[in-house]
Amino acid sequence: MKNFMNEFKKFALRGNVLDMAVGVIVGGAFTGIVSSLTENFINPILNFVTGAAKYSFTDIMGFVSTFASAVVNFLITAFVLFCIVKAMNTASKLGEKNEEPAAPAAPTTKVCPFCKSTIAIDATRCPHCTSQLED
């Protein structure tokens, strides 16, 4: 069961799954802005231009306030998602094991001081220029 939960955690916290979930939620919130723009600005303008309806100042202010409310709802949703993703990223960094970096491997080659070619570290004579190498 513990292995299953670890696999699910790796799957759920993987970058592309989290990005897709955020995209879907932000897209849904943005739908509210588009719907409000259509219902509160585009339709009244079309109705006014075609003469289907006449609007008073209070109607216009109602349209603006409804649209502003949709924008504020979107911003709140985006901020909450930002906080959630930031917390999940912090939690995933805390959950990772802090492994020490591996020590650099000992060199296996050296440069011949005479011909500057790369040779084995334990060579006593350069295979390229046949120079005798010092220890």
Side-chain angles (χ1 to χ4, degrees):
M1 184 67 173
K2 188 175 183 179
N3 189 26
F4 176 77
M5 293 303 290
N6 287 337
E7 288 180 24
F8 178 74
K9 178 182 162 188
K10 283 182 182 179
F11 169 76
L13 295 180
R14 200 170 5 166
N16 53 359
V17 174
L18 194 59
D19 292 343
M20 184 182 67
V22 168
V24 168
I25 294 170
V26 168
F30 193 72
T31 301
I33 291 177
V34 173
S35 297
S36 179
L37 178 70
T38 304
E39 293 170 6
N40 297 310
F41 285 106
I42 296 174
N43 286 347
I45 289 171
L46 291 175
N47 287 339
F48 182 74
V49 169
T50 60
K54 299 202 187 261
Y55 297 104
S56 66
F57 181 73
T58 56
D59 293 335
I60 294 171
M61 291 310 295
F63 295 150
V64 170
S65 67
T66 304
F67 180 72
S69 175
V71 170
V72 169
N73 286 340
F74 173 77
L75 293 175
I76 290 171
T77 303
F79 178 73
V80 168
L81 279 175
F82 171 75
C83 292
I84 290 172
V85 169
K86 188 168 178 80
M88 290 182 79
N89 287 339
T90 303
S92 68
K93 286 179 184 176
L94 291 177
E96 294 176 359
K97 294 179 181 175
N98 293 332
E99 297 179 7
E100 295 181 19
T108 58
T109 60
K110 63 181 176 181
V111 176
C112 173
F114 301 104
C115 68
K116 305 298 183 200
S117 60
T118 304
I119 57 175
I121 192 109
D122 57 348
T124 57
R125 189 175 286 271
C126 178
H128 303 285
C129 67
T130 65
S131 298
Q132 187 73 29
L133 303 174
E134 298 177 10
D135 288 337

